[in-house]
Amino acid sequence: TETALRQSEERLRNILTHIPCGVFWKDRASIYVGCNDRVAHDAGLAVSGEVVGRTDYDLTNPEEADGSRASDLEVLATGSP
């Protein structure tokens, strides 16, 4: 079971590293808890770990951040992506 879990985690890490688009996840307060390197690069940061603990207001302009926040709230309210 542990081996299968490690293999699954490695597969996911590999996908997130090589997928040609940004992938991120946030908590219910819209604070980033993880992302791939593409998101970090697009935000002008060196590594994905630098995104953790930040919000869209820390990473983008206010108008973009407002739109992202509104989208996050809609997802939380409706459960629809």
Side-chain angles (χ1 to χ4, degrees), residues 6 22-23 27 38-39 41 53 75 78 81:
R6 276 194 303 276
V23 179
D27 65 14
R38 168 67 89 187
V39 172
H41 179 270
V75 169
T78 66

Side-chain angles (χ1 to χ4, degrees), residues 2 12 14 28 32 37-38 54 56 59-60 68 71 75-76 79:
E2 288 179 29
L12 180 57
N14 194 23
R28 292 187 159 283
Y32 287 87
D37 288 338
R38 168 67 89 187
R54 297 180 188 226
D56 289 306
L59 302 174
T60 64
S68 293
S71 179
V75 169
L76 289 170

Side-chain angles (χ1 to χ4, degrees), residues 17-58:
T17 298
H18 294 96
I19 194 168
C21 60
V23 179
F24 61 87
W25 46 104
K26 300 177 186 176
D27 65 14
R28 292 187 159 283
S30 292
I31 297 171
Y32 287 87
V33 294
C35 70
N36 65 359
D37 288 338
R38 168 67 89 187
V39 172
H41 179 270
D42 290 348
L45 302 170
V47 295
S48 61
E50 292 181 60
V51 173
V52 175
R54 297 180 188 226
T55 69
D56 289 306
Y57 292 98
D58 300 320

